[in-house]
């Protein structure tokens, strides 16, 4: 059954002095390949002393670039969007014959196109051992992906991590703990070690419990793997499951830093960050399609 929801997300930056900001990039608009139907969308950036330009990056993600015209002592961004979440079967696809079982090899005609998604950036004894464990899962491709996702889930416990950036795979495996972005990057790199093209995905995760009208929505990260015939398949290592209608991608890129929700710098200062998000169910009559802005 389809579900109409209203999402609100606000992030506020407070600086201890007036500072000049570099051009900032905001990756907070749902990607074109999202399963969710976006009925309305609004991004508001304050203070209003800025110029905003929408663009698309090399990977097709929507980016808002804001250029600030004067020094400011704080910045806030608000996202309001209404969406229809349509349930879908994550296994409803038909693989190309040669990709029915793993391992398989991509055809030569697409190998160069996938080059940036097969780049291995993390090496070490722990990930090498994990890759060897993964190779023992060979079999039908879908069953292999299910078990690989579960393997990462078993190796890495979830923790909220406030530090900026992504842990290396060795750090994540050594501690056995990581934020969603750390588990996602680990899965991306394991897939690449296995010869599979994969990308890092960031977006919103919407969840409701039972018939509750108020749910939870948070910025989240997961991995996507390219399987011929199916296209990009989402794997959420934090839950050990395939992605569902509650996953709304905002940016999908070969490297995590290119999928960050906000990118930019300020003059030297001390800053505080405040974050709030909410999601509520809408009745059918409350959701109205309007042009994205």
């Amino acid at each position: 059954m389809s579900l109409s929801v209203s999402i609100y997300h606000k992030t506020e930056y407070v600086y201890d002095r007036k500072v000049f900001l570099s051009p900032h990039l905001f990756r907070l608009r749902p990607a074109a390949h999202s399963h969710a139907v976006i009925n309305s969308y609004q991004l508001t950036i304050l203070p209003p002393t800025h110029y905003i330009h929408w663009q698309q990056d090399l990977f097709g993600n929507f980016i808002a670039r804001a250029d600030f015209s004067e020094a400011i002592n704080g910045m806030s961004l608000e996202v309001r969007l209404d969406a229809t979440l349509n349930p879908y079967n994550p296994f409803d696809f038909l693989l190309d014959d040669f990709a029915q079982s793993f391992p398989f090899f991509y055809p030569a005609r697409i190998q160069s196109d996938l080059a940036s998604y097969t780049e291995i950036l993390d090496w070490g004894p722990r990930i090498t051992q994990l890759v060897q464990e993964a190779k023992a899962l060979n079999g039908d491709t879908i069953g292999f992906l299910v078990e690989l996702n579960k393997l990462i889930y078993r190796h890495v416990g979830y923790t909220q991590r406030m530090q900026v950036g992504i842990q290396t795979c060795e750090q994540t495996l050594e501690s056995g703990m990581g934020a969603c972005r750390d588990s996602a990057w680990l899965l991306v790199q394991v897939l690449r070690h296995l010869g599979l093209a994969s990308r890092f995905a960031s977006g919103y995760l919407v969840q409701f419990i039972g018939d509750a009208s108020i749910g939870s929505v948070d910025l989240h990260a997961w991995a996507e793997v390219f399987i011929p015939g199916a296209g990009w398949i989402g794997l959420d290592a934090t839950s050990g499951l395939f992605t569902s209608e509650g996953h709304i991608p905002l940016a999908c890129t070969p490297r995590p830093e290119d999928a960050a929700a906000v990118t930019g710098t300020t003059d030297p200062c001390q800053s505080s960050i405040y974050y709030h998000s909410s999601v509520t169910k809408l009745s059918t009559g409350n959701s109205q399609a309007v042009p994205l802005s």
Side-chain angles (χ1 to χ4, degrees):
M1 180 177 179
S2 297
L3 180 65
S4 293
V5 301
S6 180
I7 295 173
Y8 174 75
H9 161 212
K10 179 177 182 179
T11 302
E12 184 177 9
Y13 301 83
V14 178
Y15 313 121
D16 65 344
R17 68 198 72 182
K18 283 197 171 185
V19 295
F20 285 97
L21 275 62
S22 71
H24 272 52
L25 304 180
F26 300 92
R27 300 175 183 89
L28 290 167
R29 178 167 164 175
H33 72 280
S34 172
H35 287 278
V37 177
I38 309 304
N39 300 312
S40 66
Y41 176 87
Q42 183 179 26
L43 171 65
T44 303
I45 301 171
L46 295 175
T49 53
H50 67 272
Y51 303 92
I52 190 167
H53 301 276
W54 282 99
Q55 57 195 46
Q56 283 185 282
D57 66 10
L58 176 64
F59 313 107
N61 302 301
F62 298 112
I63 298 178
R65 169 176 167 152
D67 291 84
F68 297 87
S69 58
E70 60 184 41
I72 57 178
N73 54 19
M75 176 187 69
S76 71
L77 58 96
E78 287 185 347
V79 173
R80 298 177 185 270
L81 71 88
D82 290 354
T84 302
L85 309 183
N86 296 308
Y88 68 94
N89 178 359
F91 302 101
D92 185 18
F93 45 71
L94 183 63
L95 302 184
D96 288 351
D97 289 343
F98 71 88
Q100 293 285 336
S101 297
F102 182 81
F104 64 84
F105 298 97
Y106 295 112
R109 61 184 176 81
I110 67 171
Q111 285 181 359
S112 59
D113 298 327
L114 293 172
S116 61
Y117 300 103
T118 57
E119 183 182 19
I120 297 174
L121 298 173
D122 260 316
W123 303 83
R126 291 179 178 84
I127 192 172
T128 298
Q129 181 178 346
L130 184 59
V131 170
Q132 292 305 312
E133 289 183 49
K135 287 181 177 179
L137 303 174
N138 291 354
D140 73 278
T141 298
I142 301 308
F144 164 76
L145 292 177
V146 169
E147 294 305 316
L148 175 61
N149 203 23
K150 290 180 180 178
L151 179 66
I152 304 298
Y153 173 74
R154 290 194 298 267
H155 272 273
V156 184
Y158 172 73
T159 184
Q160 287 189 327
R161 195 169 60 79
M162 302 308 295
Q163 296 90 340
V164 176
I166 307 287
Q167 293 180 161
T168 67
C169 294
E170 291 297 293
Q171 289 173 326
T172 299
L173 290 170
E174 181 178 12
S175 66
M177 301 293 292
C180 57
R181 61 189 184 277
D182 302 315
S183 296
W185 182 239
L186 173 62
L187 180 51
V188 165
Q189 285 298 291
V190 169
L191 286 163
R192 293 181 186 179
H193 276 274
L194 294 168
L196 293 175
S198 56
R199 63 188 185 184
F200 183 90
S202 67
Y204 292 120
L205 175 59
V206 176
Q207 296 176 299
F208 286 91
I209 298 177
D211 295 326
S213 60
I214 299 176
S216 65
V217 58
D218 291 292
L219 288 172
H220 192 56
W222 58 92
E224 294 185 354
V225 59
F226 184 79
I227 305 296
W232 292 101
I233 299 174
L235 305 174
D236 190 340
T238 303
S239 65
L241 303 173
F242 280 40
T243 56
S244 67
E245 62 271 15
H247 292 76
I248 303 177
L250 299 173
C252 298
T253 59
R255 294 165 293 275
E257 57 268 26
D258 296 325
V262 181
T263 302
T265 61
T266 71
D267 289 339
C269 67
Q270 294 292 323
S271 64
S272 301
I273 304 175
Y274 303 93
Y275 176 85
H276 172 73
S277 62
S278 63
V279 60
T280 56
K281 292 180 182 177
L282 294 174
S283 63
T284 304
N286 288 339
S287 182
Q288 181 180 6
V290 299
L292 297 181
S293 60

